């Protein structure tokens, strides 16, 4: 049988050692020998013997935070030995190595998988209060690898000058950065008449670090899964 489908670039990439690697730009391969944490529903194939256990948001505390804030990662624990393939609606996949002392603040919707040795918590983004109806992110720390996704090819901005990003386009950033909310749209007669730029607020970043920005805007999602911003109590009771 002959086809360009069977070209070398589409064949499974062999892993020299256990852990994460890119099968291609849209798919993650994990040579598993133990356990890993992955986004619920992200498995597209596996070879070997594996078990999948749903963990919700990773514990009761994280579950409550997810219901209150709308932020978090619906997780499953995968254990076994073999090759695991993960993807998320054909988004681009990127692998980040966290070293001891590193801290990565990331939008929960962009988390695909991470080593079980990493720790994460849901925290409010500094400076993003009532103006943004509360903005929360997952902060990862520890030593290990995390695979994230972006809608399209991102740009990594080095924060060496005041930097402003649309909150729905910001994927992740150095957790050591100082963040805030900045009114980008000028108020005036046009605003009162309903003329809007669509850029009412931007996130500001200062300090030393980086911000990853994707060429697409994520719609705000609450704990109930609706595409809108609501208060935390309403999400908890829904």
């Amino acid at each position: 049988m002959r086809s360009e489908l069977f070209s070398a670039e589409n064949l499974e990439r062999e892993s020299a050692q256990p852990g994460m690697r890119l099968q291609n730009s849209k798919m993650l391969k994990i040579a598993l020998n133990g356990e890993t944490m992955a986004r619920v529903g992200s498995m597209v194939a596996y070879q070997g013997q594996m078990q999948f256990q749903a963990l919700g948001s990773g514990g009761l505390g994280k579950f409550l935070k997810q219901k209150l804030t709308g932020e978090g990662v619906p997780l499953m624990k995968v254990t076994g030995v073999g090759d695991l393939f993960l993807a998320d609606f054909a988004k681009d996949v990127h692998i980040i190595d966290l070293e001891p002392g590193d801290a990565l603040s990331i939008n929960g919707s962009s988390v695909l998988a991470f080593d079980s040795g990493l720790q994460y918590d849901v925290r409010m983004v500094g400076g993003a209060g009532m103006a943004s109806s509360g903005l929360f992110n997952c902060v990862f720390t520890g030593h290990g690898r995390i695979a994230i996704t972006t809608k399209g090819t991102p740009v990594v901005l080095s924060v060496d000058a005041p930097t402003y990003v649309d909150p729905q386009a910001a994927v992740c950033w150095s957790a050591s950065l100082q963040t805030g909310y900045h009114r980008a749209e000028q108020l005036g007669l046009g605003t009162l008449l309903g003329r809007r730029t669509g850029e009412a607020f931007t996130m500001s970043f200062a300090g030393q670090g980086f911000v990853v920005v994707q060429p697409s805007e994520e719609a705000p999602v609450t704990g109930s899964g609706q595409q809108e911003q609501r208060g935390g109590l309403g999400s908890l009771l829904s």
Side-chain angles (χ1 to χ4, degrees), residues 20-30 36-39 42 71 73 86-98 103-115 118 120 137-140 144-156 169-174 210-215 218:
M20 297 182 185
R21 67 167 297 169
L22 292 180
Q23 168 62 30
N24 54 52
S25 65
K26 310 288 186 181
M27 190 178 298
L28 179 72
K29 176 183 178 181
I30 303 178
T36 192
M37 310 296 286
R39 185 174 202 87
S42 62
E71 183 66 23
V73 187
L86 305 174
D88 186 16
F89 293 99
K91 296 178 183 177
D92 291 337
V93 181
H94 314 271
I95 298 174
I96 299 175
D97 287 286
L98 290 184
L104 180 69
S105 183
I106 179 170
N107 187 320
S109 64
S110 298
V111 176
L112 179 62
F114 57 93
D115 290 342
L118 293 178
Y120 90 93
N137 250 25
C138 297
V139 177
F140 282 81
R145 283 190 148 188
I146 178 172
I148 70 171
T149 59
T150 62
K151 290 184 176 180
T153 303
V155 59
V156 180
V171 176
C172 62
W173 57 85
S174 306
F210 66 88
V211 183
V212 178
V213 183
Q214 65 183 4
E218 294 280 2

Side-chain angles (χ1 to χ4, degrees), residues 58-95:
L60 179 59
K62 293 186 179 69
F63 170 78
L64 292 175
K65 286 184 178 181
Q66 183 179 35
K67 294 299 289 183
L68 281 167
T69 66
E71 183 66 23
V73 187
L75 291 174
M76 60 181 179
K77 180 171 68 174
V78 187
T79 58
V81 177
D83 294 327
L84 173 66
F85 297 87
L86 305 174
D88 186 16
F89 293 99
K91 296 178 183 177
D92 291 337
V93 181
H94 314 271
I95 298 174

